[in-house]
Amino acid sequence: MVKSTYQPSTSALPPLAPGWTEHKAPTGHTYYYNAETKESTYKRPGAAPVVVNPAMSSYVQHQTVPQINLSDPTVANAFMAQYGQPPPQHHGQRGGGSGAGGGRGGFQARPRPQPADKPRSKVAIPGCEPWVLVYTKYGRRFAFNPAKNASYWRIPEKLMPAILELDTARIREKAEGKTAEQPQEQKDAERSAIPAAQAQQEQPAHDYDSSEYEEVEVTDDEGAGDDGHDHDQDGNARKRQRTDEPAGDDGPAEFTEADIAAQLAAMGADYYGDVEMGEDDPGAEGAWEEGDEGLPLSDEDARELFKDLLNDFHINPYSPWEKLIEEGKVFDDARYSVLPTTRARKEVWEEWSRAKIQELRERRAKEEKKDPRIPYLAFLQEKATPKLYWPEFRRKYKRDDPMKDPKLPDKDRERWYREHINRLKLPQTTLKSDLKKLLESAPLSALNSQTMVSDLPPQVLADIRYISLDPKVRDPFVEAYIQGLGPPPEGGQAAEQEDEAAKKARDERRKREKALEERERAVAEEKRRQEKRVQYERARLLDEEREIERAMHVGKRGLQSQLLG
Amino acid sequence: MPAIRPASKRKPPPDGFEDIEEDLLIFGNKMKDAQNAPADNMPKHQAQWPIFQIAHQRSRYVYELYYEKEAISKPLYEWLLKNGYADAMLIAKWKKQGYEKLCCLRCIQTKETNFNSTCLCRVPRAQLKEDQDVQCVSCGCRGCASTD
């Protein structure tokens, strides 16, 4: 399939006012500078239409409308040689003769940087023997005759049918080679090949007079199969555009954009067919979510994913839904959008919070009540001194958490404080024997040879006798005592079972996340396609606009110029 | 009026209060902000709207925790009601059929209106004219009929 991405540069920008020059800022913006007034502006100083020397304009017109049949390559080449530097804006000049006047001269003189393109591969054209079709690095191609050592960007008309055939054959081959491809896509590719070919045939009609003009043909079929290649092509198109850009003397921004769009369109043309289904609203994510055909996520999975999200963000199950929405930290997560509506999300959230609260409650019931005395006693051991009376101590540490704990009555606190202070005055041996007694009172299931010193049972920790000894003395003592104890009684089966359940849950979760990833990829692809389609449409619109504009420009020569193209 | 005891001498709240303490604190702060916000530049009747709304939200929060999620215990629920974290009268209405979403008690107080009727926000949306945007005078409610 052949398609030209060349955009006739009608560039309807008015010429610059005399004295103004155009420059490019380092940022890429175009600005205009007047050397006389030393003034610069971003706005194009569209001068009053310059009155052009009639003789000159007629010369230009004469120059740009040669009456030669250029479909013959030899004539075409001769013509190119003769009209070495035709003015770039041939369409505009043909239309109103609006003057390639004085202001523009400087830009024409500037050397035109050529993009560094290289031939990459060649294909012999069957039927027209010496001719070869050469593909370049940037995906363009030209016809080359090694016998005459002649090459043409514009493919000579006599080669056209053969090349078209070659292209169709290649498309077919590619489509058949890919088993994953649907036959429909191939059909699409072929269908799109036809208008493109027509475009190609129309193209030479109005382009032949420009030597700068390079007919860029993008082969569509390369994008047909694999996405990776497609990307590559995309990148190439962009790259080439960028290298071209400085060359365009004052190419308006819309032109370049349209060029890119056209490139993309050419590549996206085969997507077309299957995108058309979801045409109703472009770019709307909602459409994708509601019409989730082909989503790998079941409803169940989506719900589970959303619950995972809630778990991951450590959402407090007691908090109201409004708080979750107000904070908005879950919005960025992809899993937030697996459920299509906020109502569904809220439903899942409700379910989740109910389950979570239940779970929390069960866990809390299972784990033994944390004795509020433990932190308080530990605090006493650290801070209490015989130098302070209770009121002083309370006043000094009233800000500390153990002193504020509402679970512990103030009376008890005071009692323990006094007791502790009194015990500090006792001799070490008494304290040691007391501690031993305490340790002996603990059952073997709670305190045995497996127990760590840092992980003693609460009944030991919550006793005043435990804190009376200095930790430096106490810990070795307790350790020695534990060494002498027997092993714990049997009963470790339950833990293993729990582990298995946890593992199962983890596996399921991983599965769900995988599914989500796949879905994400699908969504991204769909988005990309849609974008391409939009760009393609935009390009077409621009094309048509330009065509209309061109049609509107009826110059002095009237109908004749129109017919000539 | 009896003296307010210091926190250390007060009876601790029932179990489970720590779980919801933070959210209640947020509601409390919001309420304080609403109460202290200047009401100069708004119509007089709108000045109390945010207060009604926050009171409603907080009551709803407690109501849902107790009746729908069953996340808090009865003693805690009663303690919350007693300590003014939720409006018991409003919650009592929510339990009645037709009043599940009631915005505030003033909106069903028929004796306070000229024609002995409820507030406009109690009218189901289906019975209102097309695209009629209502916001009631007493609490700024936009419609709290059960069918909405």
Side-chain angles (χ1 to χ4, degrees):
Chain A
M1 185 175 102
V2 234
K3 193 166 211 177
S4 170
T5 53
Y6 172 70
Q7 302 291 337
S9 75
T10 33
S11 74
L13 285 181
L16 287 169
W20 288 90
T21 48
E22 183 188 7
H23 303 274
K24 211 145 233 162
T27 55
H29 294 266
T30 316
Y31 69 96
Y32 304 90
Y33 177 67
N34 194 335
E36 289 162 25
T37 58
K38 294 209 170 14
E39 219 182 324
S40 60
T41 173
Y42 283 124
K43 238 166 89 184
R44 191 179 176 85
V50 186
V51 184
V52 193
N53 183 351
M56 184 180 171
S57 89
S58 73
Y59 163 72
V60 166
Q61 271 185 4
H62 177 71
Q63 190 190 32
T64 51
V65 194
Q67 312 249 346
I68 310 168
N69 180 14
L70 286 170
S71 57
D72 185 16
T74 53
V75 181
N77 269 10
F79 172 77
M80 297 296 191
Q82 188 187 343
Y83 294 89
Q85 296 286 322
Q89 282 196 333
H90 52 280
H91 286 298
Q93 284 147 8
R94 190 178 301 139
S98 61
R104 307 190 44 92
F107 306 112
Q108 274 177 12
R110 201 187 296 163
R112 189 165 225 270
Q114 289 297 319
D117 205 346
K118 286 178 200 152
R120 190 186 248 167
S121 62
K122 59 179 181 181
V123 191
I125 300 169
C128 336
E129 263 340 304
W131 287 92
V132 208
L133 193 63
V134 182
Y135 288 89
T136 70
K137 195 172 122 200
Y138 289 157
R140 297 185 293 183
R141 60 189 193 171
F142 57 88
F144 175 57
N145 191 344
K148 291 182 195 161
N149 209 8
S151 52
Y152 306 100
W153 280 116
R154 194 177 56 75
I155 288 155
E157 248 162 45
K158 60 175 182 179
L159 299 178
M160 199 72 82
I163 287 173
L164 274 178
E165 216 167 74
L166 204 67
D167 284 344
T168 5
R170 217 163 34 137
I171 292 166
R172 197 164 293 141
E173 193 183 300
K174 211 152 217 171
E176 274 160 14
K178 300 259 168 197
T179 47
E181 284 310 311
Q182 292 150 1
Q184 191 215 353
E185 223 163 284
Q186 181 199 344
K187 216 168 64 197
D188 284 353
E190 276 173 5
R191 200 177 55 196
S192 53
I194 297 160
Q198 285 166 355
Q200 164 70 13
Q201 253 143 23
E202 285 162 17
Q203 206 68 47
H206 51 79
D207 286 332
Y208 45 74
D209 48 354
S210 152
S211 76
E212 292 168 27
Y213 159 64
E214 292 161 338
E215 193 160 345
V216 180
E217 281 137 9
V218 177
T219 47
D220 203 2
D221 43 344
E222 275 161 11
D226 41 353
D227 274 340
H229 200 125
D230 191 21
H231 268 308
D232 200 3
Q233 187 81 352
D234 195 359
N236 271 349
R238 292 252 165 73
K239 208 172 2 177
R240 180 170 68 232
Q241 194 49 48
R242 228 165 285 139
T243 51
D244 270 347
E245 211 161 38
D249 29 17
D250 58 348
E254 57 176 291
F255 167 66
T256 63
E257 192 186 25
D259 212 354
I260 293 175
Q263 299 264 1
L264 286 173
M267 274 145 351
D270 38 322
Y271 281 135
Y272 222 166
D274 31 348
V275 178
E276 262 164 9
M277 299 179 223
E279 196 147 28
D280 37 10
D281 46 351
E285 213 173 332
W288 168 253
E289 272 162 0
E290 255 127 50
D292 44 332
E293 2 115 25
L295 283 196
L297 279 182
S298 69
D299 186 43
E300 192 69 22
D301 275 351
R303 294 168 78 89
E304 290 303 310
L305 266 171
F306 192 72
K307 286 181 189 174
D308 287 346
L309 164 74
L310 294 172
N311 280 329
D312 280 359
F313 276 82
H314 300 295
I315 303 296
N316 183 358
Y318 290 98
S319 297
W321 169 251
E322 285 78 20
K323 190 184 169 200
L324 180 70
I325 296 299
E326 266 170 33
E327 282 181 346
K329 55 185 178 185
V330 293
F331 294 158
D332 296 332
D333 199 285
R335 284 170 292 182
Y336 182 75
S337 58
V338 291
L339 288 170
T341 58
T342 307
R343 182 169 293 185
R345 275 173 216 139
K346 188 172 178 187
E347 230 165 66
V348 175
W349 167 80
E350 227 159 67
E351 195 185 306
W352 168 83
S353 64
R354 201 167 296 171
K356 190 87 180 168
I357 287 169
Q358 198 64 36
E359 186 189 314
L360 273 180
R361 195 186 293 167
E362 270 165 24
R363 196 190 304 160
R364 222 166 274 169
K366 212 190 283 173
E367 77 185 18
E368 65 271 36
K369 266 270 190 316
K370 187 145 168 43
D371 203 323
R373 281 183 299 176
I374 295 172
Y376 178 67
L377 289 180
F379 180 74
L380 274 192
Q381 178 164 42
E382 199 183 327
K383 306 281 190 199
T385 60
K387 288 176 195 163
L388 289 177
Y389 292 116
W390 165 245
E392 290 166 333
F393 179 81
R394 192 180 57 183
R395 200 183 315 134
K396 187 169 180 190
Y397 296 110
K398 67 180 173 193
R399 302 259 174 248
D400 289 277
D401 277 338
M403 296 295 284
K404 281 196 299 187
D405 190 0
K407 293 268 169 47
L408 222 52
D410 227 16
K411 245 179 211 166
D412 284 353
R413 264 193 221 125
E414 183 178 351
R415 189 160 52 86
W416 287 324
Y417 180 79
R418 291 189 193 284
E419 208 173 314
H420 178 58
I421 297 299
N422 285 337
R423 283 183 64 80
L424 284 179
K425 291 167 190 159
L426 292 175
Q428 289 276 321
T429 46
T430 331
L431 293 179
K432 261 187 190 167
S433 64
D434 274 356
L435 180 57
K436 186 145 194 259
K437 247 183 246 160
L438 168 68
L439 291 173
E440 273 163 0
S441 72
L444 195 62
S445 59
L447 192 66
N448 49 51
S449 59
Q450 307 283 317
T451 323
M452 310 294 289
V453 183
S454 55
D455 191 27
L456 289 172
Q459 53 195 5
V460 175
L461 291 178
D463 201 292
I464 195 92
R465 286 174 287 182
Y466 179 69
I467 60 161
S468 307
L469 268 175
D470 187 51
K472 272 180 238 149
V473 185
R474 183 192 63 194
D475 285 350
F477 180 79
V478 173
E479 206 166 347
Y481 177 79
I482 284 171
Q483 298 282 315
L485 284 174
E490 290 303 311
Q493 297 291 327
E496 275 174 34
Q497 271 180 0
E498 233 164 74
D499 271 0
E500 236 163 66
K503 200 177 159 200
K504 212 181 203 175
R506 222 181 307 130
D507 280 349
E508 265 181 18
R509 187 179 165 157
R510 204 170 302 140
K511 214 170 72 191
R512 283 198 301 267
E513 264 160 16
K514 218 178 202 173
L516 175 76
E517 242 170 56
E518 263 164 38
R519 176 183 174 277
E520 291 261 286
R521 214 177 304 132
V523 170
E525 193 164 308
E526 176 70 8
K527 254 190 190 164
R528 224 188 48 230
R529 284 180 187 187
Q530 215 142 23
E531 218 166 81
K532 270 184 188 166
R533 203 166 51 85
V534 167
Q535 268 169 325
Y536 173 73
E537 293 296 338
R538 203 175 291 149
R540 234 178 44 180
L541 190 71
L542 264 176
D543 259 356
E544 272 164 20
E545 269 175 11
R546 204 164 288 134
E547 221 161 82
I548 289 170
E549 199 179 299
R550 212 185 306 137
M552 299 298 276
H553 276 296
V554 180
K556 284 183 206 153
R557 296 172 66 95
L559 197 57
Q560 195 187 356
S561 67
Q562 285 295 307
L563 291 177
L564 282 172
Chain B
M1 188 180 164
I4 295 174
R5 298 187 189 187
S8 58
K9 298 251 171 88
R10 255 178 271 165
K11 230 208 281 186
D15 284 343
F17 182 69
E18 316 84 76
D19 297 328
I20 57 172
E21 196 173 10
E22 197 181 317
D23 294 316
L24 288 174
L25 196 68
I26 291 172
F27 277 123
N29 288 342
K30 264 193 204 165
M31 183 61 108
K32 270 184 200 162
D33 288 346
Q35 283 166 342
N36 293 328
D40 310 331
N41 291 329
M42 57 171 94
K44 202 175 170 187
H45 70 279
Q46 285 183 13
Q48 287 183 328
W49 285 5
I51 291 164
F52 272 102
Q53 281 159 6
I54 293 164
H56 173 94
Q57 282 169 8
R58 189 161 60 178
S59 296
R60 194 85 208 174
Y61 174 61
V62 172
Y63 170 82
E64 278 177 358
L65 277 182
Y66 183 61
Y67 286 103
E68 289 178 10
K69 290 187 196 163
E70 291 162 3
I72 57 175
S73 60
K74 190 171 171 69
L76 177 57
Y77 174 67
E78 279 168 356
W79 186 87
L80 289 173
L81 291 184
K82 188 185 155 203
N83 284 274
Y85 285 100
D87 185 351
M89 302 300 277
L90 191 57
I91 289 177
K93 295 290 174 243
W94 287 341
K95 292 188 227 167
K96 285 169 73 183
Q97 195 184 13
Y99 294 87
E100 288 91 346
K101 293 178 186 169
L102 179 65
C103 56
C104 67
L105 287 172
R106 214 197 261 176
C107 286
I108 51 166
Q109 185 60 274
T110 53
K111 284 173 190 162
E112 287 178 7
T113 53
N114 283 346
F115 295 101
N116 284 337
S117 62
T118 57
C119 177
L120 183 56
C121 67
R122 297 295 302 152
V123 180
R125 211 162 268 292
Q127 290 180 31
L128 288 171
K129 279 179 216 141
E130 282 287 313
D131 300 329
Q132 192 178 0
D133 196 21
V134 296
Q135 198 161 19
C136 87
V137 179
S138 46
C139 63
C141 172
R142 291 175 187 278
C144 55
S146 297
T147 52
D148 285 348

